[in-house]
Amino acid sequence: MTVRLEHANYTVSDGEATAAWMQKLFGWHIRWKGDATSGGQSIHVGSDTQYLALYTPARDTSEKADSYTTRGGLNHIAVVVDDIDAMEEAVKEAGFTTGNHADYEPGRRFYFHDHDDIEYEVVQYD
């Protein structure tokens, strides 16, 4: 039996804005968008086989607690790239600050936080 991750769903303050920077940086596309639970909106952004479901509630969002000390917290989303240096430049040009750079077996990585303080890891495997 083959199992693969299809999507992850998490809450953002502005799904349109998040989907826009993801399309620009990651080359993804909007697969679907529409009404969602509790009067909110969901946008599915990604590739033809995998995506992130960005949920924006109908009311204002609240800031999250530290995800690493909250049971069920989202710690980060990771993407794999072919050229980590080019992606880091693009991330900086999009207005995000990169950090926590590391070389590790079997590759390299860096992290950045978006406007909702969600952490993203960018990985290039050797």
Side-chain angles (χ1 to χ4, degrees), residues 2-105:
T2 300
V3 177
R4 66 178 173 82
L5 181 66
E6 184 206 25
H7 77 275
N9 182 323
Y10 56 98
T11 300
V12 297
S13 62
D14 184 341
E16 296 283 350
T18 301
W21 73 253
M22 288 179 169
Q23 289 176 92
K24 180 179 179 182
L25 287 177
F26 302 152
W28 292 348
H29 64 274
I30 293 177
R31 296 167 38 120
W32 177 86
K33 68 179 175 177
D35 295 336
T37 188
S38 301
Q41 181 189 47
S42 283
I43 299 176
H44 297 180
V45 61
S47 70
D48 291 337
T49 58
Q50 300 168 349
Y51 65 95
L52 296 174
L54 309 174
Y55 173 74
T56 305
R59 57 180 172 72
D60 287 340
T61 56
S62 59
E63 290 191 28
K64 67 177 180 176
D66 178 6
S67 64
Y68 285 92
T69 59
T70 302
R71 185 176 300 128
L74 172 68
N75 296 321
H76 63 261
I77 301 292
V79 297
V80 178
V81 299
D82 294 331
D83 185 341
I84 198 166
D85 297 319
M87 179 56 72
E88 183 168 14
E89 287 305 311
V91 166
K92 289 177 180 178
E93 287 175 12
F96 301 118
T97 302
T98 63
N100 197 15
H101 298 77
D103 292 345
Y104 68 104
E105 191 61 39

